[in-house]
Every structure is written in structure tokens, then in C-alpha cells.
Amino acid sequence: MPVFPEISFTLGWRSRTDIQTIEAILNEIKQIPWAVNPKIWFGINLLTKNIDVRPGEMRMIKEKDINLESGYILISRPKEGLKDFGKYAYLDENDIYLIRSMPTGMPFMYFFRHQKGQSGIKAGDQFGPKYFKVWWDKACKGLGVQGVGLYGGTKHTVATALGQLLTPKEKKRGGTGSRTNKAFDRYF
């Protein structure tokens, strides 16, 4: 058996904030890009309410994945979990109302797409991999919030806040999407 060097590694923690700051960031995001594209705010807002959905998964949603009658969005290709079955983002009445007020595209079109063309981007192009993060960062800068990224500010902050209200069993059932108990325990 070969001799392997000992590697010391400490798993880092994502920076997070509190629920009041998330609400302020969401309000700032709604003010900044609403005229550009209301789907920017809508996608980030959905991330705070569906903490098992990752930003990259959110931007992959297609029009056909949205079921307004049942109030859910199918995430057909999740990064983790039951990849063959997908997972769901749930919609409340306000989400459904907002989606119905937006122009509908063809079933194969990405839901999170640009409304207008600009700097090499055509109207109808899918949001880029960091598009939600760009707007999150602009809102944080406008509010003076430092060091809180999109993922830590949505999933980690909300999961931690839930940990103060729910038991570990309730919280895990509530949808952090953690694959292992160790990963879950980091949030709790």
C-alpha cells in the first residue's frame, strides 16, 4: 500500500445574514431590476422560499416545467438527490399570480430569460450562470451588506433561521435538500 500524505482540511462556512436583511435585499433587488426584468427578483425570491433549489437549477427551469394549477415547478435535472425523479419548487398564490401576469413562452424556452437584448445578449437568451448573483451583489452593495453571497444568503440563512424554530427532524423534512446527516447538521 502506498504511503499517502496526511492532509489537514477544515471545511469552511458560508457567510449568512438574518431574515430582516434578506427582506431588505429582496426589496432592493425588486427596486433595481424590476424595469429590466421582474424575473430577476422572482427567481431570487423563489430561492429564499425553496431552499433545496440551487441558483443553477433555478435558471434551468423551462416554461413546460411550471404547473400553475398544482402550484409547483419541476426541477427536472437537480444537482443532488433523486436525479431520476427531479425535485420541486413550490409556488404560493402570489407567485402564481405573478407568473400569470408575465408573457408566456414556448414550452421548450427557459423561463428565466432576458426580455431585451443588450451587449451581446439577445432577447430570449437564458440567464447566465451568475446572473442572479450579479443582481444579489448589486443589492447588497447598495445596502452596505458585505460578504454574504447569493447561496449563503438564501439557503444557508433561511435554513439556519428555520433551525431556531423547528426540530432537526422537522427542518430536514422541510426541505434543506441535505443528502447526509452531517451536511444537515452544519445548517442546524
Side-chain angles (χ1 to χ4, degrees):
M1 187 69 137
V3 177
F4 293 100
E6 188 171 316
I7 299 172
S8 64
F9 177 76
T10 304
L11 190 58
W13 292 88
R14 290 189 186 265
S15 295
R16 57 187 192 273
T17 187
D18 55 52
I19 297 300
Q20 293 79 14
T21 304
I22 287 179
E23 289 173 354
I25 292 168
L26 284 171
N27 287 334
E28 184 78 5
I29 292 169
K30 195 171 191 177
Q31 291 175 23
I32 297 171
W34 195 260
V36 175
N37 191 337
K39 289 182 180 180
I40 299 165
W41 171 85
F42 183 64
I44 296 171
N45 186 49
L46 280 179
L47 289 171
T48 65
K49 296 191 290 187
N50 293 276
I51 59 175
D52 62 330
V53 178
R54 295 170 173 270
E57 295 168 340
M58 185 68 67
R59 63 183 274 291
M60 298 304 287
I61 294 168
K62 294 189 176 180
E63 291 278 350
K64 67 180 176 66
D65 298 329
I66 301 170
N67 186 326
L68 296 178
E69 282 66 43
S70 297
Y72 70 85
I73 299 172
L74 172 65
I75 310 295
S76 58
R77 302 179 78 191
K79 181 177 177 186
E80 73 268 322
L82 301 172
K83 292 183 180 186
D84 293 338
F85 300 103
K87 62 183 173 184
Y88 298 95
Y90 296 95
L91 303 169
D92 63 26
E93 289 179 24
N94 293 328
D95 300 332
I96 293 168
Y97 177 80
L98 183 58
I99 292 172
R100 284 197 168 123
S101 73
M102 296 176 178
T104 304
M106 300 299 287
F108 60 87
M109 293 178 76
Y110 289 103
F111 178 76
F112 291 103
R113 60 186 182 272
H114 295 278
Q115 291 181 335
K116 302 172 188 167
Q118 61 182 10
S119 343
I121 298 170
K122 296 182 294 204
D125 282 354
Q126 176 189 19
F127 286 0
K130 296 184 179 183
Y131 199 64
F132 288 131
K133 181 186 178 322
V134 165
W135 288 100
W136 173 273
D137 291 347
K138 284 182 184 182
C140 286
K141 185 177 180 182
L143 294 169
V145 176
Q146 296 180 345
V148 180
L150 174 64
Y151 193 70
T154 55
K155 181 174 185 158
H156 289 250
T157 297
V158 175
T160 302
L162 284 174
Q164 297 169 2
L165 302 173
L166 306 174
T167 67
K169 189 174 183 179
E170 289 172 327
K171 186 173 160 199
K172 189 165 187 179
R173 188 178 30 193
T176 62
S178 301
R179 291 190 298 189
T180 66
N181 285 338
K182 278 190 173 185
F184 165 74
D185 288 341
R186 283 178 53 86
Y187 291 113
F188 197 68

